[in-house]
Amino acid sequence: MTATVSDSVRATSPDTLPATHERAATRRRYLMCEPRYFAVEYAINPWMDPSVPVDTELAVQQWRGLFDTYRRLGHDVSQIEPVDGLPDMVFAANGATVANNRVYGAKFLHAERGGEGPAYLNWFRAAGFDAHDARFINEGEGDLLVVGGRLLAGTGFRTVPEAHAEAGEVLGLSVVTLELVDPRYYHLDTALCVLGPDEIAYFPGAFSAKSQAVLRELYPGAILATAADAAVLGLNAVSDGYHVVLPAEAMALAKTLLARGYQPVPVQLSELRKAGGGPKCCTLELRP
Ligand code: ARG
């Protein structure tokens, strides 16, 4: 076998990170939902304060920026029609989990978001997907993250552990349960970002000591995000294997990604952050 440049770099200094040319973007298919009816009318996470005014028009504008970014990067973006009275429906990541051409439906913990599960399942069925209803509470890709053939599954605030096994069965993935302990990081996708089939970034402080040990063992080369990056929802990012779309405020994380050969693509989503959401929350990946 011929050694590549990066092999020799790795061999001489194990701390040197893979070079840019190793990263390759692959075309993705995403589902998004315009925040036409976005508001903060209830508080189901510490980011939400109904007394703070929300500019829905600005939220739509910023969301449009994210949508256009994906299109510019060459991805396919489908849209689901927003429903009046479901102000959090913009957070498409929570609508389901899709892998191996199968859809595991969401079942929300809070009544305020209850209508979103069926709305997303209807979209999937109408689009011809093999969609499965969930028996157990789970908030889609908010807590269920596909990393290669593995499903990293969060619990502690929303999704229940019983749903992890159910999701693994429906989607044909092996499951690793992770326990979230900080209410600011109530969904797994606020504390952990999937960069590639074997690469992640995460904020250790969001996880129980036991889950931190599991993550260290499974992903020894993971990017460890700072508290400051986590606090601007920097980990709520979307990777296509090369480009990583992330909140503009997550400066240290962007720098680290660049050093590891990724291309950070900053976006501004300050209005949606008032509900506790960032780019990943707005994006449901339709994996083939
Ligand atoms: N207000 C929403 C909630 O608390 C925000 C959801 C963000 N979505 C996500 N995938 N983290 O449920």
Side-chain angles (χ1 to χ4, degrees):
M1 207 179 83
T2 8
T4 63
V5 176
S6 52
D7 283 333
S8 61
V9 168
R10 268 206 206 105
T12 49
S13 70
D15 286 340
T16 305
L17 300 156
T20 310
H21 68 268
E22 277 190 65
R23 310 270 177 222
T26 53
R27 189 167 189 202
R28 308 292 170 118
R29 188 170 171 207
Y30 299 128
L31 178 62
M32 295 180 70
C33 179
E34 189 192 64
R36 200 181 308 154
Y37 306 110
F38 176 66
V40 177
E41 291 165 349
Y42 48 81
I44 55 173
N45 71 52
W47 302 82
M48 302 176 87
D49 178 352
S51 72
V52 172
V54 164
D55 183 340
T56 305
E57 212 171 294
L58 179 59
V60 170
Q61 240 177 62
Q62 294 181 333
W63 176 89
R64 183 61 54 188
L66 178 66
F67 181 92
D68 291 343
T69 298
Y70 290 139
R71 298 290 294 265
R72 186 169 52 76
L73 295 175
H75 302 304
D76 265 328
V77 191
S78 300
Q79 287 189 67
I80 178 174
E81 190 61 18
V83 176
D84 194 359
L86 295 176
D88 272 335
M89 192 170 164
V90 55
F91 300 119
N94 300 129
T97 309
V98 188
N100 296 324
N101 265 312
R102 296 183 122 204
V103 178
Y104 176 59
K107 190 173 159 118
F108 286 81
L109 174 65
H110 299 100
E112 291 91 334
R113 299 195 67 186
E116 295 180 44
Y120 277 89
L121 269 177
N122 285 343
W123 185 90
F124 279 106
R125 290 195 170 122
F129 282 81
D130 177 17
H132 298 250
D133 284 289
R135 282 198 299 141
F136 298 105
I137 303 277
N138 82 87
E139 299 198 350
E141 277 203 348
D143 277 321
L144 304 170
L145 294 175
V146 179
V147 195
R150 187 180 277 154
L151 188 68
L152 296 184
T155 188
F157 296 101
R158 304 285 179 90
T159 300
V160 299
E162 291 88 338
H164 296 177
E166 188 181 33
E169 228 162 89
V170 170
L171 301 174
L173 298 166
S174 70
V175 174
V176 175
T177 287
L178 298 168
E179 198 193 349
L180 297 163
V181 294
D182 182 333
R184 286 175 302 166
Y185 309 117
Y186 55 93
H187 277 145
L188 184 60
D189 73 355
T190 62
L192 187 149
C193 166
V194 181
L195 296 168
D198 202 31
E199 248 197 315
I200 63 166
Y202 65 97
F203 172 55
F207 297 90
S208 69
K210 207 176 131 199
S211 295
Q212 288 182 34
V214 170
L215 286 169
R216 272 197 306 271
E217 159 104 32
L218 290 176
Y219 303 99
I223 294 177
L224 301 184
T226 63
D229 281 330
V232 292
L233 289 179
L235 288 156
N236 199 252
V238 178
S239 169
D240 64 13
Y242 175 55
H243 309 100
V244 182
V245 177
L246 82 173
E249 297 86 350
M251 311 278 261
L253 183 58
K255 238 179 115 184
T256 309
L257 287 166
L258 203 58
R260 295 246 188 158
Y262 290 99
Q263 181 61 58
V265 181
V267 291
Q268 185 51 257
L269 283 180
S270 54
E271 279 314 290
L272 294 174
R273 194 160 49 221
K274 294 177 178 170
K280 170 61 206 152
C281 298
C282 297
T283 314
L284 178 56
E285 186 168 349
L286 309 180
R287 280 180 207 78

